[in-house]
Amino acid sequence: MDDAITKQRVFDLHCDTLDRLVLSADPTVPGGFFEHDAGVPRDRMSALDSNDAHISLERTSAFSWCQCFAVFVPDELFGASAWDIFVRVRGFWEQERLRLRDKIECVSNAAEYRASFEAGKTAGMLTVEGCSFLEDDGFAEERLDYLAAAGVRVATLTWNGPNALGSGNDTADGLTSFGVRMIRELERRGIVVDVSHLNEPGFRGVCEAADRPFIATHSNARAVCGHPRNLADWQLREIAERGGIVGLNFYNGFLRDDGFPATTDDVLRHVDHILEVAGANVLALGSDYDGSDVPEWLEPCSKVKALYQLLEAEFGGEIAEAVFHRNAERFFGYVA
């Protein structure tokens, strides 16, 4: 337990590691994992504990690390075919967490969170990125019950395109009436609504429909980098006023506009802006590891200590701790 206390604590709201490990060998599934990892030996992309992905348990073991593992569902899949992807990736998650029970603990409450760190384990939380398996077809509530039983704590409503709930940032429409109903059903089951990937009309729809705080698991400041996946100032303020959090995304394309790899100064500009606009209780980590190209100085995940040192030097230890774990812990009630 003493070692766990001295380890740097990390709470990361988003990665695509599960999909990357499951789907990088399957050319039939859209999403780009097969093409991206075509040159990586398969035996180095098949296990959660040791791999050539951004995140592995070998790397997170040096920290007291809580990782939100997303099941990403590609835009091209809907209904049953989308649900098959969720079930397949979730099956891998169950297989690995049982095989590696001495290294990782699936957490859903504060006691489990604390216990995982005291035992020297990585804590894992299951989430969903893209709910295109939810359609107004009579199966939606049954599938939501399955998500809740599987331990899913967060659901990103869309990816970049449209689905039955609403429209992502590549499209112009907002939430559907079915999407409004599903927000209420997600909240009823204790699953947090994630607005990353929504367009602005969809975001406004969530503001109208949601009774509970919602979050943006992996989005940056649009005033610093103009990509539509980033959040405008009014959105940052809205999330803050509702008690939500925003995960800092490490993707180069969301950190700067010109296509070059992001520097430490680029990251600091986003952090500074979000702190100024939304306050010190909002910003968390939302790395997007294994779902995007990140700066070399942040790849693989063990290099995140460089980000902590950067934040500590620029903003002080209190802010660094808040961003790295305290804001997310407070939101999920996991304060230890």
Side-chain angles (χ1 to χ4, degrees), residues 250-253 255-256 260-267 294-297:
F250 298 172
Y251 173 44
N252 287 310
L255 288 168
R256 59 186 296 157
F260 287 99
T263 67
T264 56
D265 285 344
D266 294 319
V267 172
V294 305
E296 287 187 5
W297 60 276

Side-chain angles (χ1 to χ4, degrees), residues 8 248-250 255 262-272 275 283 285 295 297-298 302-321 323-324:
Q8 171 62 52
L248 179 71
N249 193 315
F250 298 172
L255 288 168
T263 67
T264 56
D265 285 344
D266 294 319
V267 172
L268 289 174
R269 279 191 282 270
H270 283 273
V271 173
D272 186 60
L275 291 174
L283 189 59
L285 299 179
W297 60 276
L298 286 172
S302 54
K303 291 186 179 179
V304 78
K305 59 188 175 183
L307 177 59
Y308 183 90
Q309 293 165 350
L310 180 70
L311 298 183
E312 184 179 38
E314 186 73 16
F315 302 107
E318 286 296 314
I319 293 296
E321 290 288 305
V323 173
F324 259 63

Side-chain angles (χ1 to χ4, degrees), residues 106-280:
C106 183
V107 300
S108 60
N109 58 55
E112 293 170 351
Y113 179 79
R114 288 192 293 268
S116 68
F117 293 160
E118 291 171 0
K121 300 180 184 180
T122 295
M125 183 192 301
L126 195 62
T127 70
V128 171
E129 182 180 24
C131 288
S132 57
F133 49 72
L134 295 178
E135 296 187 318
D136 197 3
D137 56 4
F139 294 107
E141 293 198 30
E142 177 183 326
R143 288 174 177 167
L144 287 177
D145 289 339
Y146 186 98
L147 295 185
V152 170
R153 296 296 312 277
V154 180
T156 316
L157 299 181
T158 70
W159 201 55
N160 293 330
N163 61 27
L165 283 69
S167 295
N169 66 94
D170 281 349
T171 54
D173 297 325
L175 294 183
T176 64
S177 58
F178 175 71
V180 170
R181 178 156 63 90
M182 287 299 99
I183 286 173
R184 292 166 182 157
E185 292 297 328
L186 285 163
E187 290 185 334
R188 191 164 67 85
R189 290 164 175 82
I191 300 174
V192 176
V193 172
D194 175 17
V195 298
S196 284
H197 286 281
L198 277 179
N199 58 23
E200 288 200 16
F203 187 102
R204 293 185 189 278
V206 172
C207 291
E208 295 174 2
D211 291 324
R212 296 186 179 184
F214 52 84
I215 67 178
T217 55
H218 55 305
S219 297
N220 295 336
R222 199 182 304 168
V224 179
C225 174
H227 197 287
R229 267 280 283 105
N230 287 337
L231 298 168
D233 287 358
W234 71 268
Q235 293 173 303
L236 292 168
R237 293 190 189 99
E238 191 74 36
I239 292 172
E241 289 170 4
R242 291 169 176 263
I245 51 177
V246 174
L248 179 71
N249 193 315
F250 298 172
Y251 173 44
N252 287 310
F254 297 162
L255 288 168
R256 59 186 296 157
D257 289 308
D258 59 8
F260 287 99
T263 67
T264 56
D265 285 344
D266 294 319
V267 172
L268 289 174
R269 279 191 282 270
H270 283 273
V271 173
D272 186 60
H273 187 81
I274 294 171
L275 291 174
E276 181 179 355
V277 170

